[in-house]
Amino acid sequence: MPQKKNRVAIVGAGPAGMSCASALANHPDRFEVTLFDIASYTGGQATSISLDEARYGADWLNDGVQGGSPIFRHTFNFFRRYGYEPRPVKLQVAFGKGVENFFTNVFPSPLVDQQSDEIKKLGRVLKWIKRLFPILGLMPIKVIMKLFRFSEDFANKMVIPIMALFLGTGNQTPNVSAALLERLFDDPNMRLWEYDPDTLLQNQPTMYTFPNLGDFYRDWAADLASKGVDIRLNTPVEILKRDNHGITLRPRPTRPDSATAEAVLDDFCEMYDELVLSLPADEAKALLSKHATWRERYVLGGVAFYNDITITHSDSEYFNSIFETRYKPDLCAKGASATREEQIAFAKQQPSCRMDGWEGFAPMYFTHSFANAHQCIEMGFDCSNYQHQFRDRVGEGNPPLEPERHVYQTIYLDDRQKHLWTWESVNPDKIIAKKWWRQFGHRWQHYLRVVPGMMFINGKNRTTYAGAWTMVNMHEIACISGLAAAYRLGAAYEPFDDFAEDLFAKYLLVSHGVRYKRRQ
């Protein structure tokens, strides 16, 4: 007699839901998988938009998730499975506007010289945070800065912008757990680059840009469908019942064929054995509604979300007015060593294209702070400098396209502070796209309430959770969380890399309270 298949409903087709479905689809004899999403596409925030190639030099742009660090092993493994390749890039960043506020990871700046003692002290503090993690690690950054008597200039001009930009913590960065600061520089599984005691940031570390995410997620979805996964887009669901016998859902397609079909939907329901919620925590809580346990309400209710907007545009005049986009002699400190002299000589060159970046100063990531709110920032990207498809068009050894042909993104953080935003200065005729995003804040409470609480709700009541919000806002964590949810349901984890397997095991232990059993 054939074994009864477990019917699994996955709600949310972002990287977490897709990863979960992918692992379950490897066991067609054991699982029958249905993947729901209210959107018309898969990928969640990992999306692409079309561009005018004749004007901008490329016909697509990744407008949400753009790239990652070498630790993104699971993400890259999924890319390569479908013939896509992440591309290395030597990352150049520019923080602050004006000589007193500016520093970069390309050449020395007066601000770095002024803060040299505090940069070295931060290295010592990072070690203390690691040693005394349960105490210091959970403290918010603003408390750590005051506790160890760092200056406001160092905190506001260097530490907060770095964390906000690379960990996506936005204007909640002062309230972020200090553990994330330690992990940014020191944790072998999470760090983006090495801590540098002289300049704080490593000089032009290797990062990776993502392939066309729209194409990738379409190919991934098509493969899952070919393996039997029932993918239902434009379909919100309602939970009618959840108990020890299973889950009863009512799918509600947003495009019913007729009024009769819509009436039939009111009486239509489906039974599932397991539910995977790969949604933002507040949406998962709302979906559970009266069916949520007190533990689920407590843990899911501890995740705070903030509304940001990204404006994609080609207004180079505006972009240059709020960020430092070009090399200027007064932004540069003196060359006090051979290494510094080399960095300055590199930065002085007229930029020319390389397959992994640029010769000369051609920054890709930017921030600036507000004069009347020093802990709040705006972020920006010169996508034409960063994303590889633009460099491919320019060609190795050639100068960049004219600034007015570049594609820029400016990110305005937390709509409760929109009175600070400079978005009205963007030329409306040069706006390519506007998108609102809901980002979760990595507040210190998140690591006291949500992260340790996940193991007490995961796998209970026939419900498992997945998403970057369960730990850190990274595409890689989203993928791992989906694989972990599938593992809890009985799917195999397919090891392909020792580093990736170790990170998966750590996530599984923290978020599910389950030890990973390595294959012999």
Side-chain angles (χ1 to χ4, degrees):
M1 184 175 178
Q3 180 182 1
K4 178 183 177 294
K5 295 183 181 181
N6 270 350
R7 299 195 71 202
V8 181
I10 303 172
V11 184
M18 294 287 282
S19 299
C20 181
S22 183
L24 294 174
N26 290 332
H27 307 277
D29 57 324
R30 296 170 52 200
F31 301 104
E32 184 179 321
V33 183
T34 304
L35 178 61
F36 297 96
D37 201 291
I38 194 171
S40 60
Y41 54 86
T42 58
Q45 292 188 3
T47 56
S48 303
I49 60 174
S50 298
L51 297 175
D52 179 351
E53 185 174 9
R55 180 173 180 180
Y56 301 116
D59 63 359
W60 62 274
L61 172 82
N62 287 332
D63 67 329
V65 181
Q66 299 199 37
S69 78
I71 70 168
F72 281 37
R73 306 293 177 84
H74 295 88
T75 298
F76 297 166
N77 189 50
F78 280 123
F79 287 163
R80 289 166 179 147
R81 187 178 298 179
Y82 297 100
Y84 293 88
E85 188 66 30
R87 296 276 294 277
V89 59
K90 296 293 185 182
L91 187 67
Q92 298 190 24
V93 294
F95 294 98
K97 179 69 175 176
V99 176
E100 294 181 355
N101 305 306
F102 172 81
F103 75 105
T104 177
N105 69 336
V106 181
F107 58 88
S109 67
L111 179 63
V112 168
D113 284 352
Q114 292 167 14
Q115 302 296 334
S116 61
D117 289 342
E118 302 216 38
I119 290 172
K120 290 181 174 64
K121 183 166 78 170
L122 181 63
R124 298 191 293 271
V125 170
L126 291 175
K127 293 178 181 177
W128 278 110
I129 293 173
K130 187 173 185 177
R131 289 169 187 157
L132 302 176
F133 173 78
I135 302 172
L136 297 181
L138 292 176
M139 289 183 179
I141 290 295
K142 62 184 179 183
V143 172
I144 290 292
M145 292 290 106
K146 290 181 179 179
L147 180 65
F148 288 95
R149 298 188 179 184
F150 288 101
S151 68
E152 287 191 7
D153 269 1
F154 180 66
N156 294 337
K157 294 180 180 181
M158 300 194 77
V159 175
I160 287 175
I162 286 172
M163 292 194 66
L165 187 63
F166 293 110
L167 292 178
T169 54
N171 285 344
Q172 285 300 307
T173 303
N175 301 315
V176 166
S177 164
L180 283 187
L181 178 62
E182 188 271 330
R183 277 156 173 65
L184 176 67
F185 287 108
D186 196 45
D187 187 280
N189 291 115
M190 300 293 290
R191 69 184 173 203
L192 297 182
W193 49 51
E194 299 280 351
Y195 160 79
D196 190 304
D198 296 318
T199 58
L200 185 57
L201 292 181
Q202 183 180 347
N203 185 266
Q204 299 187 71
T206 298
M207 302 290 276
Y208 287 84
T209 60
F210 287 174
N212 186 315
L213 291 172
D215 290 349
F216 162 69
Y217 272 98
R218 279 193 295 270
D219 288 352
W220 195 0
D223 180 55
L224 293 182
S226 73
K227 293 178 177 178
V229 176
D230 182 8
I231 300 177
R232 302 191 204 172
L233 304 178
N234 298 302
T235 307
V237 298
E238 177 185 357
I239 298 176
L240 300 179
K241 188 176 181 182
R242 186 179 66 145
D243 57 27
N244 291 332
H245 301 292
I247 315 290
T248 304
L249 299 181
R250 176 183 288 149
R252 289 188 172 275
T254 56
R255 299 175 184 173
D257 295 334
S258 65
T260 303
E262 188 167 355
V264 170
L265 288 176
D266 288 336
D267 297 322
F268 178 73
C269 62
E270 296 178 351
M271 292 289 297
Y272 292 90
D273 299 298
E274 298 287 346
L275 176 65
V276 178
L277 295 180
S278 55
L279 297 167
D282 57 344
E283 293 181 20
K285 183 182 176 185
L287 180 60
L288 289 170
S289 186
K290 63 182 181 181
H291 305 287
T293 65
W294 70 267
R295 284 190 178 90
E296 288 170 324
R297 288 194 296 271
Y298 176 77
V299 174
L300 300 177
V303 187
F305 288 87
Y306 302 89
N307 298 319
D308 308 334
I309 187 172
T310 296
I311 297 182
T312 304
H313 61 90
S314 59
D315 191 345
S316 59
E317 184 177 350
Y318 163 76
F319 202 77
N320 292 335
S321 73
I322 61 173
F323 301 122
E324 296 291 358
T325 62
R326 300 182 181 89
Y327 176 82
K328 300 172 186 175
D330 60 343
L331 296 176
C332 187
K334 294 180 180 179
S337 66
T339 299
R340 280 190 163 203
E341 291 288 359
E342 290 176 5
Q343 293 171 353
I344 294 169
F346 174 90
K348 284 182 176 179
Q349 300 177 78
Q350 289 298 316
S352 62
C353 184
R354 297 189 325 208
M355 289 300 98
D356 65 346
W358 299 87
E359 290 287 339
F361 186 56
M364 303 156 184
Y365 286 14
F366 304 81
T367 70
H368 81 91
S369 300
F370 298 99
N372 56 343
H374 297 297
Q375 293 188 340
C376 296
I377 68 170
E378 284 177 345
M379 303 192 303
F381 300 93
D382 186 331
C383 301
S384 298
N385 281 351
Y386 180 59
Q387 294 189 25
H388 62 267
Q389 69 273 22
F390 296 99
R391 298 197 308 275
D392 288 347
R393 175 64 180 268
V394 169
E396 193 160 4
N398 293 320
L401 296 176
E402 301 85 346
E404 58 271 19
R405 295 182 64 193
H406 279 219
V407 178
Y408 306 99
Q409 287 190 324
T410 315
I411 304 175
Y412 307 93
L413 303 165
D414 191 354
D415 62 350
R416 298 175 306 172
Q417 298 168 331
K418 65 168 60 175
H419 61 282
L420 297 171
W421 295 357
T422 62
W423 62 338
E424 292 180 352
S425 299
V426 182
N427 185 338
D429 296 332
K430 296 184 178 181
I431 292 177
I432 299 168
K434 290 183 180 180
K435 279 193 179 180
W436 284 93
W437 310 94
R438 292 178 62 256
Q439 303 286 3
F440 84 89
H442 302 69
R443 306 176 307 163
W444 64 271
Q445 297 97 324
H446 190 84
Y447 295 92
L448 187 64
R449 173 176 172 180
V450 179
V451 174
M454 289 307 303
M455 69 171 67
F456 298 105
I457 64 172
N458 259 324
K460 306 294 190 296
N461 304 297
R462 295 181 175 268
T463 305
T464 311
Y465 297 88
W469 61 267
T470 60
M471 190 166 287
V472 182
N473 188 22
M474 292 181 179
H475 189 278
E476 176 70 359
I477 294 298
C479 290
I480 292 172
S481 71
L483 295 172
Y487 184 86
R488 284 299 305 276
L489 296 178
Y493 172 78
E494 302 290 343
F496 61 93
D497 175 286
D498 289 342
F499 179 91
E501 190 175 15
D502 183 54
L503 186 54
F504 172 81
K506 289 178 178 177
Y507 176 90
L508 187 68
L509 183 61
V510 171
S511 196
H512 291 263
V514 172
R515 291 191 178 277
Y516 169 63
K517 296 179 181 178
R518 297 179 184 270
R519 294 185 181 184
Q520 297 299 321

